[in-house]
Amino acid sequence: MLQLESMVEKLNATFYNSVDFVAREISFPKDQYAILCYYSSMANKKDVQDIVNLLKMQTTVNEKEWDATTSSQKESYNLEKLVEYVCQGFTVLLLLNSQQMVRFTIPDLPHRSPDEPTNESIIRGSHEGFVEDMDVNLGLIRKRMRVPDLIVKKVTVGTDNKAEVYYFYLARFANQDNLTELERKLDLMKDKIDGLYTSGQANDFIEDSPLSPFPQILNTERPDRVFANLSEGKIIIMSDFSPNAFIAPVTLFSFYQSPDDFNSRVIVGSFYRMVRVFSFLAAIFLPAFYIAVVSFHYEVLPIELSKKLKLDISEIPYRPIFEALIVEVIIELIREASVRLPVALVQTIGIVGGLVVGDVIINAGLVSNMVVIVVALTAISSYVVPSVELNTSIRVLRFPFMFAASILGFFGILIGALALVVHLCNLNSLKSPYLYPIVPFDPKKVKQILFRGKHTKSSPQPSSFDPKGREI
Amino acid sequence: MRRALMFFVISSLFLSGCWDQRLYKDLAIISVIGVDGYIGDIKAYYAYPSSSDDPTQYIVLDGKGKTAREVRMDANNKSEQAIDIAELTTILFNEDTAKKNLYKMLDVYYRSAQSPMTAKIAITDGSVKRYLNLKETIPKEIGEYYLDFIKSFEDYSIYPKTNLEIAANLMFSEGVDLGLPYIKTSGKGLPQAKGLALFNGQKYTGVHLTQRESQFVTLLGHGKANFAELSYLWDKDGEQIPVSFSVIRFKKKKKVAQVGSKIKMTYEIKMPVVMTEYPPDHLNKKKKRDPIEKFIEKRIEKDMAKMFKKCQDAESDVIGIGEEIRAYHPNLWKEGKWKELYKDMEIKAKVNVQIERSGSTR
């Protein structure tokens, strides 16, 4: 009895007398007494009671295999392991006399229901989304992929918080080179990260060039998107604390595809895919083009347009680049404010922003009509991208182009575009070319960038490698 | 790789040389220029818009000087912003200026890279000042107005398509001459198109064709543009019948023969038409159609003959017969003496009209 009390004290001390830690002695038929320990914050008390009752009952019926239930496992006592299990949310039943412990796998961690992610909503198709719980997430995927060769592996990262990072792939299709590269990077991350608390940290480690403006990992919260990529031989990386799934290797064009394309009709899907490709060009080059035209090459303007435009901008006191920057900055401010604000207030910001930017600023003579049209069109174009990362990257990218255009006109835009293309050609995603199928050129797959094929003919999205065992 | 990229980018920056910024907002964008006088004493007018409200207000600057460049500098001194002609739509020339030598007055435009080669040129009756200071309010900015004015005639196959670039080509080629729109104003109301000013080389001959004759020149020399419409009044047994039609296709065959020292050229024209006006109706009957076709053929042949005569008298080969002779009958061509041959040529047109459609009503 004394031993029991001292053990409870010892356990409490091990867990620093945390208030949500429970170490309680209970009467148990086999050893007379047992200690039940768990974090009350991570376990469902009713479930714990049920299992304990079940075990009690089993001991009286079956002496030998009394511990066998679907969620329990018996092993010999080891304090270090006990601490680890409890921290992971397990409940441990400690039998002191026989130096054994039984752990129940019934963690009851809080998580959301798998609702559709708001930043990736689609019109038709599945409306499920990942949550901050790996079991639920894997369940969402297994539900769609009922095959045994969906391999899930786990890496524990971070000495401080021991976060779990999972990666999974289809053994049939996944490319070994990509896999080796990913494992190398995860190994690297294991040693370097103290505490992994946000997926952005993992992102930097997994990407080939973290300094590039272009994301080399597709980030999604949609199980259907993950599923589609799995069957194309991509590798998915997820963590236990974030609903974001990283998909790699990807190409630039993967970011311009939405599950909507594949759920809608062939022509409609293809049309919107082309609209998105146009939006990419508009989002990067439109403000730069405007600046170049009004500072260097106004002769390209049709005469009908030139009269109004010329008289409008004659009254603006500063150069076109500053004019464009003012509106750009205002739009970025409105965007940032509407992301941070509670949903109820976002509309207010929209109205204030719309009125201020749309009307008063022109009447006040701060900027001209045309620049507001240009910047608004650019902003809309950049939001068309179905991926949040790429859309932020593109919005940042247009500033260097605006400066280049204000210094050198079309020539400056051309030099910027040249640098951009060279950079994109150099970029890799898990050692696979980023600009495929443009570089290296594969004429057969180029059309898949612009068109979505019929489902009756197999046509996965262009990938930087051929998934093994699959004819594309 | 990175070093190579940097080298490439930086060297291309320097190799491009200077790019002078021309801020749109700091320039006076001239849309129409009018020129009076000739080298030694030139007067030019520069019009640019000053307010975008309807009706459009515009300012006309005037410049005086001995050379075309000097005139522009003089006008520049009178403007609060620098004058820029990159968006020029039309240049108007007094007919007296064009009679002396048009190319010498245009040289200043061909030497600057920023000159708009698509600008139209028109010849005016009398001083250009009246054409820039219009009393009537026009619905558009004045540059737009003159541009659309000339373009619409080009669309209707009345004027051959010309601009600064084409004009230079034609002024220097021997086998074909330049024809420019000729506009006239009485001082009241808007200016009117009055035909095609005929050039001989770089000089205006002083003769201009009528609108209808000009249309035939365009059809024969340059083919049908988007539309071609004609209208005649048929005096049939004392009854006045309007006959209007629009040309569907205009096909021509050229036959060249030498008769003595003269060159004889015959245009065989096939012209299916659609009737756009014919009150007596019943065009579905061949018996009714035949006389109308005959009438149209005769009238067109007569008008064309008049047009050929006028061109030959003015020694202006606007149709480009010379090019045809030089290309396909080199034995008849005499370098440098084409105009002498052209004057004495016998040019004829044989027209075959077919009423192919009769419009919505039969």
Side-chain angles (χ1 to χ4, degrees):
Chain A
M1 209 52 201
L2 205 72
Q3 195 198 356
L4 206 64
E5 267 170 23
S6 71
M7 190 63 204
V8 169
E9 247 168 58
K10 187 180 160 194
L11 280 173
N12 268 323
T14 315
F15 287 92
Y16 304 97
N17 291 316
S18 180
V19 283
D20 61 343
F21 177 71
V22 179
R24 197 154 46 96
E25 33 199 289
I26 55 167
S27 65
F28 201 71
K30 190 171 160 36
D31 267 23
Q32 282 193 318
Y33 292 103
I35 302 174
L36 194 64
C37 37
Y38 57 90
Y39 272 124
S40 61
S41 49
M42 288 162 94
N44 186 332
K45 280 153 209 135
K46 190 175 166 291
D47 286 347
V48 171
Q49 190 59 52
D50 283 352
I51 298 239
V52 169
N53 288 344
L54 186 68
L55 285 177
K56 274 183 185 170
M57 213 159 70
Q58 287 206 80
T59 5
T60 51
V61 179
N62 188 339
E63 278 279 318
K64 265 192 176 166
E65 293 171 3
W66 61 273
D67 64 296
T69 69
T70 49
S71 58
S72 63
Q73 199 181 346
K74 182 175 74 180
E75 53 192 289
S76 54
Y77 166 68
N78 176 333
L79 183 63
E80 215 169 280
K81 276 225 165 128
L82 184 141
V83 172
E84 193 186 318
Y85 290 150
V86 171
C87 284
Q88 283 175 11
F90 296 130
T91 304
V92 178
L93 188 70
L94 184 59
L95 302 168
L96 269 184
N97 289 350
S98 51
Q99 284 292 305
Q100 280 177 322
M101 59 183 185
V102 181
R103 93 180 130 112
F104 320 152
T105 324
I106 44 164
D108 185 29
L109 299 174
H111 63 79
R112 295 180 290 132
S113 58
D115 295 327
E116 174 156 47
T118 45
N119 56 357
E120 258 184 290
S121 54
I122 59 165
I123 297 165
R124 281 173 62 189
S126 153
H127 292 289
E128 279 174 331
F130 287 131
V131 295
E132 292 81 353
D133 185 284
M134 201 55 215
D135 283 332
V136 177
N137 292 348
L138 275 174
L140 288 171
I141 293 162
R142 288 260 185 220
K143 190 171 99 181
R144 291 170 169 80
M145 185 72 81
R146 295 161 203 254
V147 288
D149 71 335
L150 169 63
I151 300 176
V152 184
K153 289 187 178 168
K154 184 174 90 173
V155 196
T156 309
V157 176
T159 43
D160 288 359
N161 65 346
K162 296 217 189 304
E164 282 167 359
V165 174
Y166 298 82
Y167 61 98
F168 45 97
Y169 53 93
L170 276 181
R172 265 174 300 166
F173 300 142
N175 185 300
Q176 193 54 46
D177 293 343
N178 301 140
L179 212 56
T180 328
E181 174 70 10
L182 177 71
E183 277 161 3
R184 189 182 69 76
K185 284 180 168 157
L186 288 176
D187 264 354
L188 206 73
M189 179 160 80
K190 237 197 274 184
D191 303 332
K192 288 212 173 148
I193 286 192
D194 296 334
L196 185 71
Y197 46 87
T198 167
S199 49
Q201 289 169 298
N203 195 81
D204 282 3
F205 273 96
I206 297 165
E207 275 191 343
D208 294 40
S209 334
L211 282 181
S212 162
F214 288 94
Q216 297 129 53
I217 292 176
L218 183 61
N219 197 323
T220 184
E221 290 183 37
R222 304 192 61 89
D224 50 353
R225 216 167 174 185
V226 162
F227 163 74
N229 280 289
L230 269 177
S231 56
E232 281 160 19
K234 310 258 168 77
I235 306 167
I236 320 293
I237 303 126
M238 286 194 84
S239 58
D240 211 1
F241 50 80
S242 156
N244 292 320
F246 294 156
I247 302 169
V250 288
T251 66
L252 175 64
F253 308 104
S254 319
F255 291 92
Y256 276 91
Q257 287 163 347
S258 157
D260 259 344
D261 296 354
F262 298 98
N263 288 330
S264 54
R265 304 182 55 76
V266 173
I267 292 176
V268 177
S270 301
F271 172 70
Y272 283 103
R273 189 170 284 185
M274 281 187 267
V275 166
R276 283 189 217 118
V277 171
F278 164 77
S279 80
F280 175 75
L281 298 176
I284 293 187
F285 295 113
L286 202 59
F289 181 78
Y290 167 79
I291 291 169
V293 165
V294 296
S295 348
F296 291 90
H297 317 282
Y298 48 82
E299 54 269 11
V300 304
L301 288 171
I303 181 82
E304 288 84 354
L305 193 66
S306 78
K307 166 189 67 179
K308 261 208 151 62
L309 178 62
K310 153 77 186 136
L311 293 168
D312 269 354
I313 66 171
S314 284
E315 288 162 21
I316 309 300
Y318 27 69
R319 282 161 178 275
I321 174 81
F322 295 114
E323 194 188 348
L325 276 179
I326 287 176
V327 189
E328 285 282 1
V329 166
I330 289 174
I331 291 229
E332 290 303 308
L333 283 177
I334 293 173
R335 189 202 85 93
E336 193 63 15
S338 55
V339 170
R340 307 289 156 227
L341 272 180
V343 182
L345 281 177
V346 168
Q347 269 197 328
T348 325
I349 282 291
I351 292 166
V352 170
L355 282 180
V356 169
V357 175
D359 200 31
V360 183
I361 197 169
I362 297 170
N363 290 340
L366 279 176
V367 297
S368 67
N369 277 314
M370 193 55 80
V371 81
V372 171
I373 296 173
V374 166
V375 172
L377 205 61
T378 315
I380 293 168
S381 300
S382 65
Y383 290 120
V384 167
V385 191
S387 147
V388 184
E389 294 81 58
L390 191 65
N391 123 28
T392 37
S393 306
I394 283 177
R395 284 210 315 277
V396 173
L397 257 183
R398 63 167 173 259
F399 290 103
F401 277 95
M402 282 160 65
F403 286 112
S406 76
I407 297 166
L408 291 169
F410 284 164
F411 181 66
I413 299 182
L414 212 68
I415 286 185
L418 185 76
L420 189 72
V421 170
V422 170
H423 172 70
L424 278 174
C425 290
N426 271 331
L427 219 51
N428 284 318
S429 170
L430 288 187
K431 295 252 155 109
S432 295
Y434 190 60
L435 209 56
Y436 188 86
I438 305 287
V439 178
F441 188 60
D442 188 344
K444 268 186 206 157
K445 287 181 187 164
V446 169
K447 69 168 191 282
Q448 288 173 13
I449 300 172
L450 291 177
F451 304 103
R452 100 142 171 85
K454 284 184 288 187
H455 287 304
T456 50
K457 278 186 188 167
S458 155
S459 65
Q461 42 176 297
S463 163
S464 42
F465 58 91
D466 279 340
K468 41 182 184 179
R470 166 163 281 188
E471 285 291 315
I472 294 184
Chain B
M1 186 61 220
R2 182 158 294 168
R3 193 173 294 174
L5 178 70
M6 288 306 286
F7 173 77
F8 193 47
V9 169
I10 290 172
S11 55
S12 54
L13 277 172
F14 286 118
L15 284 172
S16 72
C18 289
W19 280 71
D20 294 329
Q21 184 164 263
R22 299 178 295 149
L23 279 182
Y24 198 34
K25 66 197 204 73
D26 295 340
L27 297 168
I29 305 297
I30 304 294
S31 57
V32 182
I33 296 179
V35 183
D36 269 342
Y38 191 66
I39 295 169
D41 179 27
I42 307 176
K43 208 165 176 199
Y45 303 91
Y46 300 83
Y48 65 94
S50 61
S51 116
S52 59
D53 303 335
D54 278 333
T56 312
Q57 306 288 310
Y58 57 92
I59 294 172
V60 180
L61 294 170
D62 58 342
K64 266 187 206 165
K66 293 190 178 67
T67 67
R69 188 58 79 177
E70 196 180 82
V71 173
R72 200 184 292 174
M73 290 189 283
D74 185 49
N76 212 348
N77 293 340
K78 294 174 187 164
S79 155
E80 89 280 17
Q81 290 170 314
I83 283 184
D84 189 280
I85 61 153
E87 280 204 89
L88 186 67
T89 63
T90 321
I91 311 174
L92 303 174
F93 278 101
N94 188 335
E95 58 179 335
D96 295 330
T97 311
K99 270 177 197 164
K100 281 173 182 147
N101 190 320
L102 184 68
Y103 177 76
K104 284 185 181 165
M105 299 299 291
L106 283 175
D107 183 75
V108 68
Y109 298 98
Y110 295 121
R111 282 190 199 280
S112 154
Q114 268 137 35
S115 294
M117 284 296 111
T118 50
K120 304 282 176 201
I121 312 171
I123 305 297
T124 64
D125 171 55
S127 167
V128 291
K129 200 175 173 182
R130 282 188 297 171
Y131 297 85
L132 289 176
N133 293 322
L134 297 173
K135 298 260 165 26
E136 205 101 340
T137 50
I138 46 174
K140 296 169 178 173
E141 193 264 322
I142 186 160
E144 249 171 88
Y145 174 77
Y146 277 116
L147 181 70
D148 292 350
F149 183 72
I150 295 170
K151 260 193 182 161
S152 70
F153 287 117
E154 288 176 353
D155 275 349
Y156 277 86
S157 319
I158 291 173
Y159 292 144
K161 278 207 166 64
T162 47
N163 55 36
L164 263 177
E165 189 194 347
I166 295 171
N169 281 337
L170 296 185
M171 278 190 283
F172 284 102
S173 63
E174 207 193 337
V176 56
D177 276 316
L178 176 64
L180 290 176
Y182 183 80
I183 55 176
K184 202 171 179 177
T185 179
S186 57
K188 276 182 274 173
L190 293 171
Q192 265 188 308
K194 277 291 177 200
L196 193 72
L198 297 178
F199 275 68
N200 181 4
Q202 301 170 8
K203 289 172 189 162
Y204 171 43
T205 57
V207 179
H208 65 88
L209 300 175
T210 63
Q211 292 288 92
R212 180 167 291 163
E213 287 162 346
S214 175
Q215 188 166 11
F216 291 133
V217 166
T218 312
L219 286 171
L220 284 172
H222 306 264
K224 182 188 151 219
N226 292 347
F227 319 97
E229 282 183 344
L230 280 164
S231 180
Y232 286 111
L233 197 60
W234 188 11
D235 194 356
K236 189 187 178 191
D237 311 329
E239 197 189 347
Q240 306 264 314
I241 306 170
V243 178
S244 307
F245 54 92
S246 134
V247 179
I248 302 170
R249 281 185 301 279
F250 189 88
K251 280 189 175 167
K252 54 179 190 279
K253 266 190 198 158
K254 289 158 255 181
K255 281 200 176 147
V256 180
Q258 196 171 16
V259 185
S261 60
K262 276 187 188 175
I263 303 170
K264 193 176 165 191
M265 184 156 181
T266 317
Y267 280 103
E268 281 175 13
I269 295 157
K270 220 176 164 187
M271 194 168 83
V273 299
V274 48
M275 296 303 284
T276 51
E277 186 184 8
Y278 184 71
D281 213 351
H282 304 297
L283 284 165
N284 52 337
K285 288 171 187 137
K286 192 170 184 320
K287 226 166 67 187
K288 294 266 180 190
R289 285 203 306 270
D290 281 345
I292 307 168
E293 287 170 354
K294 278 266 159 53
F295 162 75
I296 298 173
E297 284 165 9
K298 256 197 180 155
R299 284 299 298 266
I300 291 180
E301 279 168 13
K302 208 172 113 192
D303 282 348
M304 280 193 176
K306 238 193 216 163
M307 178 268 289
F308 290 135
K309 181 91 192 2
K310 234 175 174 176
C311 292
Q312 278 174 306
D313 288 349
E315 290 185 39
S316 173
D317 184 8
V318 276
I319 303 171
I321 295 170
E323 296 276 271
E324 162 82 15
I325 300 285
R326 174 145 77 172
Y328 298 107
H329 309 279
N331 53 331
L332 301 177
W333 173 262
K334 271 183 199 147
E335 192 69 40
K337 286 185 181 166
W338 164 243
K339 284 289 154 63
E340 287 165 29
L341 290 171
Y342 173 70
K343 244 183 356 188
D344 301 328
M345 266 179 83
E346 208 184 311
I347 315 171
K348 252 192 185 168
K350 262 179 84 182
V351 187
N352 178 12
V353 172
Q354 267 178 316
I355 298 175
E356 226 169 59
R357 281 175 256 150
S358 53
S360 312
T361 56
R362 292 206 283 183

